[in-house]
């Protein structure tokens, strides 16, 4: 039987590293399905015999990374931990600082224009030695993590962006363009550092999910007492006791007790759910006002929460975004330039050309032209400008690959609670009965609910205060577990509770039943207030739709989104009501996190590019599985924000259509820059073959087009919300 070997992979931060590992390890394990990658946790799982471990570790080293067994990972020395976490950041900052120092020294000696790149072939002595030293150190610092990958790409004859980058820097330095070489190195190192930082943040957020469920559980003993043990040691069918207000440590089914449970962390339901004998409860959810005894149904490592944590990591690992176009282009472009230059330098001389030196000169010109500085710089500058412009609009984009994706999205899936809605119950209506007045009901409710922590009670209190109604003093307030509360107000006995509690008291009339069923049928929660012999009235509550939601979804369709789907853990009636108010095309309700992932996979298979927007822990796996994950930044949980590719920091849904249009504009600018960069090089290359191009022309073309594409990219900063809306 095959073993399951798990390794911590140091340096595995994105899909590029996963591809490199697969190239080295698939020949070892001989089965691609035996390799599983969890990018967020830096973990690789290999299904195979333990005897393969030395070969696996050696293969990881060949891929430019380092592996150690997952179980053997221990906190290392402080210095080692610091370098692993901060080394890339330190070197990137050093690269930027040294580049600035070099530019300052150069400008002080030769003038600002010269420092910007007026030097060329045969004029490298214009650059003062101190500036060359600073530029060189900047290139070394910025290229520390780039050069090993470039060398691996060259050794395997698999040109990639790292090799293209190395060629650009070395070519620029060789002809004396030291400032250009240093700046290009810094920009590329910065993009890699941001990617690594983003993955690190996501890893820490996923690890923080473990804190949602308690580490210990109160296990019922045969003599009726309870003892606290580690949750990981509790076995299936053992009974655990959950006091009021505490989080439930393990999945299970209620055997004794009545209570309401806040399941928002797992299912996203907007209001607590009543639980009694036989009801299922989930680890990480919050018990309400009653004591529950629960028969454990799953081990700690198999709970719904544990599955969420695994799915987040697996979704990120499976997603493997397509390679950047420039990276694919480099696989052809770089070897073609090298081969062409070599042929130009060697073939005429072998053929007996009268002036072989002239052909060597032309080869050198072609290599200078081939230095892809403009191509390399244009995309990151466009991306940085686009990300900066988005940040001004309250949209946090976490990396260059996510700048382009919104322009290609065909279907948008949304969570309901906290995304389309405000995420908290709000009083919708107050309905008095039996000659009671509205203010009388609210005054009594205000007194009864004043000291309750239940979400519905807090919503009622907020409403009473907003209506400027003074609560009547309540005494003898007593909670009825899982049902409601009783109290004495103004000398009269009142009760407040659910429809089920009303039925138990036998006070339901046909009229009251019809009204309650009508309100419940459209997804509203009904809280009933009554006396010992009759119903006084009821209050309806619902999760309020965000005011901008309907318009935002309409604008999204005008921006090119073909279909909008709601994925929610809430009940179907509530979901249908929200969908009707906002213009949702498809509603899928009462979904657990695993169901949301399945729905996303189905949509991806059917439509291709699918975005998912959510705010809770339960949304994180689906967001990770989608082509693009978008989080509500202010209202969202840390796990959702970190699992997402983009965050709406102001929770403003109107930013979604803006984002789609901004992405399309960014994609247009990038295409313009790539076309211009390649076009100028093609023209200059033609001049080279005819003997009309010189090194000076090559340098001017390279530097000139670099400045042009940078200027074009910076136009993305001059964008406004109104301007982009008008474009569509």
């Amino acid at each position: 039987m095959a073993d399951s070997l798990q390794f911590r992979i140091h340096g595995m931060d994105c899909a590029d590293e996963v591809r490199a590992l697969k190239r080295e390890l698939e020949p070892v394990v001989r089965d691609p399905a035996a390799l599983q990658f969890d990018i967020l946790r830096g973990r690789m799982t290999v299904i195979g015999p333990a005897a393969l471990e030395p070969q696996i570790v050696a293969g990881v080293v060949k891929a430019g990374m380092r592996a150690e067994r997952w179980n053997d990972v221990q906190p290392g020395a402080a210095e080692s931990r610091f370098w692993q976490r901060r080394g890339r950041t330190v070197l990137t900052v050093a690269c930027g600082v040294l580049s600035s120092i070099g530019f300052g020294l150069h400008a002080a000696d030769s003038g600002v224009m010269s420092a910007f790149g007026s030097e060329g072939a045969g004029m490298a002595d214009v650059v003062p030695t101190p500036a060359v030293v600073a530029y060189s150190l900047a290139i070394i610092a910025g290229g520390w993590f780039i050069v090993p990958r470039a060398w691996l790409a060259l050794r395997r004859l698999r040109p990639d962006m790292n090799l293209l980058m190395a060629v650009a820097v070395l070519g620029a330095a060789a002809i004396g363009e030291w400032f250009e070489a240093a700046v290009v190195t810094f920009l590329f190192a910065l993009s890699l550092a941001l990617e690594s930082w983003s993955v690190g943040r996501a890893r820490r957020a996923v690890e923080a999910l473990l804190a949602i469920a308690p580490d210990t559980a109160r296990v019922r003993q045969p003599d009726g007492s309870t003892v606290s043990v580690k949750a990981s040691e509790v076995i299936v069918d053992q009974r655990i006791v959950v006091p009021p207000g505490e989080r439930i440590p393990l999945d299970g089914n209620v055997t004794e007790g009545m209570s309401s449970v806040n399941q928002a962390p797992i299912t996203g339901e907007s209001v607590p759910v009543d639980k009694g004998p036989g009801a299922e409860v989930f680890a990480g959810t919050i018990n309400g006002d009653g004591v529950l005894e629960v028969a454990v149904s799953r081990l700690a490592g198999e709970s719904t929460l544990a599955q969420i944590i695994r799915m987040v990591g697996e979704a990120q690992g499976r997603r493997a975004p397509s390679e950047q176009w420039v990276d694919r282009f480099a696989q052809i472009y770089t070897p073609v330039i090298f081969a062409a230059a070599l042929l130009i330098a060697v073939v005429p001389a072998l053929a007996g050309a009268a002036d072989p030196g002239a052909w060597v000169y032309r080869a050198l010109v072609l290599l200078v032209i081939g230095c892809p500085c403009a191509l390399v710089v244009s995309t990151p500058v466009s991306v940085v400008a686009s990300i900066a412009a988005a940040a001004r609009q309250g949209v946090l984009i976490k990396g260059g690959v996510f700048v382009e994706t919104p322009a290609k999205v065909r279907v948008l899936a949304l969570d309901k609670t906290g995304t389309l809605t405000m995420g908290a119950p709000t009083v919708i209506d107050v309905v008095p009965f039996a000659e009671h007045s509205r203010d009388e009901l609210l005054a009594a409710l205000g007194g009864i609910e004043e000291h309750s922590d239940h979400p519905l009670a807090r919503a009622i209190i907020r409403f009473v205060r907003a209506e400027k109604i003074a609560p009547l003093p309540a005494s003898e307030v007593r909670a009825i577990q899982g049902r409601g509360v009783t109290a004495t107000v103004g000398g009269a006995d009142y009760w407040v509770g659910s429809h089920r509690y009303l039925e138990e008291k036998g006070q339901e009339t046909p009229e009251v039943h019809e009204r309650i069923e009508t309100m419940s049928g459209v997804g509203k929660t009904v809280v009933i207030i009554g006396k010992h012999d009759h119903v006084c009235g009821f209050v309806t509550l619902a999760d309020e739709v965000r005011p901008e939601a309907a318009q935002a979804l309409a604008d999204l369709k005008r921006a090119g989104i073909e279909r909008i789907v709601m994925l929610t853990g809430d009940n179907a009636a509530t979901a249908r009501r929200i969908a009707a108010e906002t213009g949702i095309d498809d509603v899928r309700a009462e979904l657990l996190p695993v169901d949301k992932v399945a729905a996303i996979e189905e949509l991806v298979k059917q439509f291709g590019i699918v975005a998912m927007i959510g705010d809770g822990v339960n949304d994180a796996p689906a967001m990770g599985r989608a082509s693009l994950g978008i989080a509500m930044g202010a209202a969202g949980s840390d796990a959702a924000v970190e699992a997402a590719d983009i965050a709406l920091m102001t929770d403003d849904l109107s930013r979604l259509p803006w984002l789609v249009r901004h992405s399309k504009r960014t994609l247009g600018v990038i295409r313009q820059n790539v076309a211009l960069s390649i076009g100028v090089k093609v023209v200059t290359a033609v001049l080279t073959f005819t003997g009309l191009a010189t090194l000076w022309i090559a340098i001017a073309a390279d530097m000139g087009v670099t400045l042009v594409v940078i200027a074009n990219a910076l136009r993305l900063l001059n964008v406004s919300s109104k301007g982009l809306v008008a474009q569509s």
Side-chain angles (χ1 to χ4, degrees), residues 372-528:
C373 295
L375 184 62
V376 171
V377 169
S378 63
T379 299
V381 172
S382 300
V383 167
V384 169
S386 180
I387 290 174
R392 293 178 182 175
Q393 299 295 327
V395 180
L396 175 62
I397 302 176
K398 296 187 179 180
V401 67
F402 311 124
V403 169
E404 302 176 18
T405 309
K408 306 170 186 176
V409 171
R410 296 182 60 195
V411 174
L412 177 67
L414 303 96
D415 172 52
K416 180 188 73 67
T417 306
T419 302
L420 279 171
T421 67
M422 301 302 291
T426 302
V427 173
I428 303 300
D429 199 7
V430 180
V431 181
F433 279 107
E435 300 182 356
H436 292 279
S437 69
R438 180 176 182 275
D439 289 354
E440 179 186 349
L441 290 183
L442 291 176
L445 279 169
I448 296 170
E449 304 282 27
E450 192 167 19
H451 302 292
S452 174
D453 289 329
H454 195 286
L456 297 180
R458 290 198 297 268
I460 291 172
I461 292 299
R462 286 195 300 270
F463 184 78
V464 169
R465 290 171 180 168
E467 293 288 305
K468 294 183 170 54
I469 295 175
L472 294 174
S475 60
E476 299 181 25
V477 179
R478 186 170 66 92
I480 310 299
Q481 292 183 4
R483 294 172 175 82
V485 62
T486 62
T488 300
V489 179
D493 293 333
Y494 282 87
W495 61 267
V496 177
S498 63
H499 190 185
R500 183 174 65 182
Y501 191 36
L502 170 66
E503 292 174 338
E504 290 179 4
K505 295 188 73 65
Q507 295 181 6
E508 186 174 29
T509 65
E511 180 187 3
V512 170
H513 177 81
E514 183 179 353
R515 296 292 294 272
I516 294 175
E517 288 297 319
T518 300
M519 292 295 100
S520 300
V522 295
K524 295 179 181 179
T525 300
V526 182
V527 173
I528 306 159

Side-chain angles (χ1 to χ4, degrees), residues 13 21 27 63 102 104 117 140 143 168 319 378 385 402 451 466 532 541 567 571 649:
D13 293 326
L21 288 166
I140 292 172
R319 203 167 75 187
S378 63
F402 311 124
H451 302 292
H532 68 283
L541 302 96
L567 305 179
N571 64 78
M649 301 312 294

Side-chain angles (χ1 to χ4, degrees), residues 76-154:
E79 181 180 347
S80 174
R81 290 204 308 272
F82 174 82
W83 185 252
Q84 289 174 10
R85 294 183 180 182
R86 307 296 183 193
R88 192 186 296 272
T89 301
V90 169
L91 290 176
T92 302
V93 171
C95 178
V97 171
L98 289 166
S99 297
S100 301
I101 292 173
F103 179 81
L105 293 171
H106 193 176
D109 181 86
S110 307
V112 174
M113 293 307 298
S114 177
F116 268 121
S118 61
E119 73 276 9
M123 297 182 64
D125 56 330
V126 172
V127 185
T129 300
V132 172
V133 172
Y135 285 141
S136 299
L137 291 175
I139 292 170
I140 292 172
W144 191 264
F145 291 99
I146 300 170
V147 171
R149 296 181 183 183
W151 171 245
L152 285 170
L154 180 62

Side-chain angles (χ1 to χ4, degrees), residues 584-652:
I584 298 288
D585 298 312
D586 185 8
V587 178
R588 305 185 188 190
E590 300 177 11
L591 303 179
L592 289 173
V594 66
D595 301 321
K596 290 187 178 183
V597 172
I600 290 293
E601 290 178 340
E602 177 189 332
L603 291 171
V604 169
K605 184 177 180 180
Q606 183 177 359
F607 294 98
I609 306 298
V610 176
M612 169 72 188
I613 177 170
D615 75 306
V617 171
N618 58 300
D619 300 318
M623 290 162 58
R625 184 64 189 94
S627 312
L628 182 72
I630 305 174
M632 304 296 281
S637 68
D638 289 343
V641 173
E642 297 301 343
D645 308 314
I646 296 174
L648 306 182
M649 301 312 294
T650 58
D651 288 350
D652 184 357

